[in-house]
Amino acid sequence: MRRRRVLVALVLIVAVLAMAGCSPTTPTKSNIDIDKPKGVWQTYFVVPLMKALEATGKALNSYGLAILVVTVGIRLLLLPLTLKQMKSSKAMQAIQPEMTKLREKYKNNQQKMQEETMKLFQKHNVNPLAGCLPLIVQMPILIAFYQAIINDKALNQADFLWLQLGVHDPLYILPVLAAVTTYLQSVMMGMGDNPQARAFLYIMPIMIFVLAFNFPAALALYWVYGNLFQMVQYYFIGDKFKAKREGAAG
């Protein structure tokens, strides 16, 4: 289990660093024909995002607000995964007392502790990595969003607050906000209570900071909007999971 978790983390880190290394510092010319997209990726991921951003931007006369609207739409589409993440977090919290006993009992035998921990997960039907799934799914969405941004000339030349959306934040405020909100969201979701996913509590903010530091401000804005929306969403929905768990325990 530990090897799998480390491998996933390393793959994500390498992917983000590779993307950051080839990110443009200025808007590039579009190489996607919005009317004649090529391949599955452009047809079903990049171009729909481009069209949604363009239509919403024109309607609101603000691409900064358009990113907010599209972000909320994406997060609503990912709601089933979010609910699964919440359920997994609550399940992990519920078995923490038993896990603490196992760690104390087998503190000198790591192999036995891992075996007993896996049995505990199986007994309670808990998937320790389920809480990480929405974060992992966000990576291809980020890539599609990035490609939509750099191929939309109107968007990457648009201004919003102190930003030009097609280039990175010159004040580096957004990278910090993106990293901080990623960390706060992970804490709020209970990732710190899950030993199998705790590494992501620190890895993801660093990865997102690297992305936001190098990539267009629009991408960082998308991530900050998404984190804030999910924290608000968890504030309202998370209580229902808590009440349901406490009711079942009672």
Side-chain angles (χ1 to χ4, degrees), residues 153-169:
K153 185 177 180 180
L155 188 153
N156 61 47
Q157 292 182 349
D159 295 324
F160 181 67
L161 300 176
W162 72 93
L163 306 163
Q164 182 180 337
L165 295 176
V167 297
H168 65 79
D169 179 2

Side-chain angles (χ1 to χ4, degrees), residues 39 63 77 81 98 129 141 146 157 159 168 181 185 222:
Y63 274 102
L77 289 175
L81 286 179
E98 294 180 67
L129 294 180
I141 294 176
Y146 166 68
Q157 292 182 349
D159 295 324
H168 65 79
T181 54
Q185 175 206 313
Y222 158 74

Side-chain angles (χ1 to χ4, degrees), residues 85-94 234 238 241-242 245:
Q85 182 186 31
M86 291 180 180
K87 183 178 179 180
S88 174
S89 297
K90 293 301 180 183
M92 288 298 300
Q93 291 173 14
Y234 186 81
F241 279 90
K242 182 178 180 181
R245 181 169 61 86

Side-chain angles (χ1 to χ4, degrees), residues 28-227:
T28 59
K29 183 179 179 180
S30 175
N31 58 6
I32 294 179
D33 187 341
I34 196 169
D35 296 317
K36 296 180 180 179
K38 298 178 181 179
V40 174
W41 179 252
Q42 289 187 11
T43 302
Y44 295 105
F45 292 90
V46 181
V47 169
L49 276 173
M50 291 177 66
K51 290 182 176 179
L53 288 167
E54 183 177 344
T56 311
K58 289 180 179 178
L60 299 176
N61 196 31
S62 169
Y63 274 102
L65 295 179
I67 293 173
L68 172 61
V69 172
V70 172
T71 300
V72 171
I74 291 174
R75 293 293 174 153
L76 289 176
L77 289 175
L78 293 176
L79 183 58
L81 286 179
T82 302
L83 295 177
K84 186 174 182 179
Q85 182 186 31
M86 291 180 180
K87 183 178 179 180
S88 174
S89 297
K90 293 301 180 183
M92 288 298 300
Q93 291 173 14
I95 64 174
Q96 280 305 303
E98 294 180 67
M99 292 185 65
T100 300
K101 292 179 181 178
L102 289 178
R103 285 195 292 268
E104 181 64 27
K105 184 177 181 180
Y106 300 108
K107 60 183 178 181
N108 296 321
N109 189 338
Q110 291 296 315
Q111 182 177 352
K112 182 64 176 178
M113 184 181 70
Q114 291 183 7
E115 291 176 358
E116 293 300 319
T117 299
M118 290 305 300
K119 290 179 181 179
L120 181 64
F121 289 157
Q122 293 172 0
K123 176 182 176 182
H124 293 275
N125 195 27
V126 173
N127 181 357
L129 294 180
C132 304
L133 186 58
L135 291 175
I136 295 174
V137 170
Q138 283 293 321
M139 299 313 295
I141 294 176
L142 272 177
I143 296 172
F145 210 93
Y146 166 68
Q147 293 183 353
I149 291 166
I150 66 172
N151 284 282
D152 189 323
K153 185 177 180 180
L155 188 153
N156 61 47
Q157 292 182 349
D159 295 324
F160 181 67
L161 300 176
W162 72 93
L163 306 163
Q164 182 180 337
L165 295 176
V167 297
H168 65 79
D169 179 2
L171 302 179
Y172 304 111
I173 295 173
L174 272 183
V176 173
L177 285 176
V180 170
T181 54
T182 297
Y183 175 78
L184 292 177
Q185 175 206 313
S186 299
V187 171
M188 193 172 184
M189 296 292 289
M191 191 173 290
D193 299 324
N194 182 351
Q196 306 300 321
R198 192 171 294 155
F200 286 90
L201 184 67
Y202 306 102
I203 290 173
M204 286 304 297
I206 295 173
M207 292 170 59
I208 295 306
F209 179 83
V210 172
L211 277 174
F213 185 83
N214 289 275
F215 279 66
L219 195 67
L221 194 61
Y222 158 74
W223 196 264
V224 171
Y225 281 153
N227 286 341

